[in-house]
Amino acid sequence: MKKTLGAKDILFPIPIALVVSGNGDNANIISIAWIGITGSNPPSIGISLKKNRYSLDLIRQTGEFTINIPSTNDMVKTDYCGLVSGKNVNKFDETNFTALKSHKVKTPIIKECPYNIECKVIKEVEIGDWVLVIGEIVETHVDEDKIENNKISIEKVNPLVYVPTIREYWSIGKLLGKSFNVGKKMINK
Ligand SMILES: Cc1cc2nc3c(=O)[nH]c(=O)nc-3n(C[C@H](O)[C@H](O)[C@H](O)COP(=O)(O)O)c2cc1C
């Protein structure tokens, strides 16, 4: 038997990202759970923001944003950035997050986040009270010490994971297998 749960906030687990908008003294941070890859060529990613978000104004002003994946160590700061608005506080000052220069956009990345993505806006889609902002990914960064045997160590990145259905933060589990690979044994049997 299955129990119906309704249609709200139902997909899980998903990443939780810190999205930076603006630049210089105006740089702002917002916590974003509505995020996902939208295509591979060009590489693109979508973030959905409620229309009244200060971050949306800043993204529209500059046409760019950065996505920063926090580790579990920064859970409290990540939640904080989702509780207060950059209209009222400077979230870089309050969190002590460090704004690092990006390579291809003026909006900074967050040094303390192990994985960072630079984006230039290519499209906006209105969905009710929300705006899906799609950005072309123009650069990505990972901390050097999170690379092991020439690949990103997910254990070291230790990304914060979100379960919106029950409003909980989790950590990632253990490696189970390689994609585009483990299923092959069902083709070749
Ligand atoms: C876990 C979590 C996830 C969130 N996800 C989103 C989201 O995907 N889109 C959005 O517009 N707001 C989201 N929010 C709310 C914003 O982060 C929050 O309203 C923030 O204060 C807005 O900041 P700003 O006014 O500086 O832009 C989320 C908040 C939390 C705590």
Side-chain angles (χ1 to χ4, degrees), residues 3-171:
K3 183 174 163 35
T4 51
L5 292 172
K8 198 174 177 291
D9 299 355
I10 224 70
L11 184 66
F12 65 87
I14 55 176
I16 177 85
L18 291 172
V19 170
V20 178
S21 53
N23 51 58
D25 291 341
N26 283 330
N28 185 41
I29 312 171
I30 180 174
S31 307
I32 291 284
W34 301 166
I35 181 169
I37 297 287
T38 49
S40 303
N41 187 19
S44 63
I45 195 162
I47 56 171
S48 210
L49 297 106
K50 211 167 177 187
K51 277 182 184 161
N52 63 355
R53 300 288 185 246
Y54 178 57
S55 297
L56 181 60
D57 297 343
L58 292 176
I59 290 171
R60 283 175 164 162
Q61 279 167 31
T62 61
E64 50 185 50
F65 58 95
T66 68
I67 292 168
N68 303 269
I69 302 299
S71 77
T72 56
N73 307 330
D74 282 322
M75 176 184 70
V76 172
K77 290 179 180 181
T78 300
D79 199 52
Y80 169 81
C81 289
L83 292 169
V84 296
S85 175
K87 271 181 205 155
N88 311 314
V89 287
N90 183 319
K91 293 188 228 181
F92 272 99
D93 287 351
E94 296 301 317
T95 56
N96 268 327
F97 276 138
T98 313
L100 255 191
K101 215 168 165 338
S102 288
H103 285 191
K104 306 227 167 112
V105 297
K106 291 202 180 77
T107 303
I109 55 176
I110 299 175
K111 184 179 174 216
E112 290 77 8
C113 291
Y115 189 68
N116 324 84
I117 305 169
E118 299 181 26
C119 299
K120 288 187 180 168
V121 176
I122 49 176
K123 210 183 191 64
E124 269 191 17
V125 182
E126 266 193 46
I127 305 164
D129 289 341
W130 294 73
V131 179
L132 171 66
V133 178
I134 300 174
E136 179 172 350
I137 298 170
V138 292
E139 188 59 276
T140 59
H141 310 254
V142 66
D143 289 351
E144 258 169 17
D145 64 359
K146 310 291 185 302
I147 295 178
E148 216 172 51
N149 301 325
N150 276 328
K151 64 170 190 157
I152 294 176
S153 160
I154 292 304
E155 219 170 354
K156 287 187 173 168
V157 169
N158 188 19
L160 190 58
V161 176
Y162 187 49
V163 184
T165 324
I166 47 175
R167 295 201 160 184
E168 285 177 355
Y169 299 108
W170 284 69
S171 59

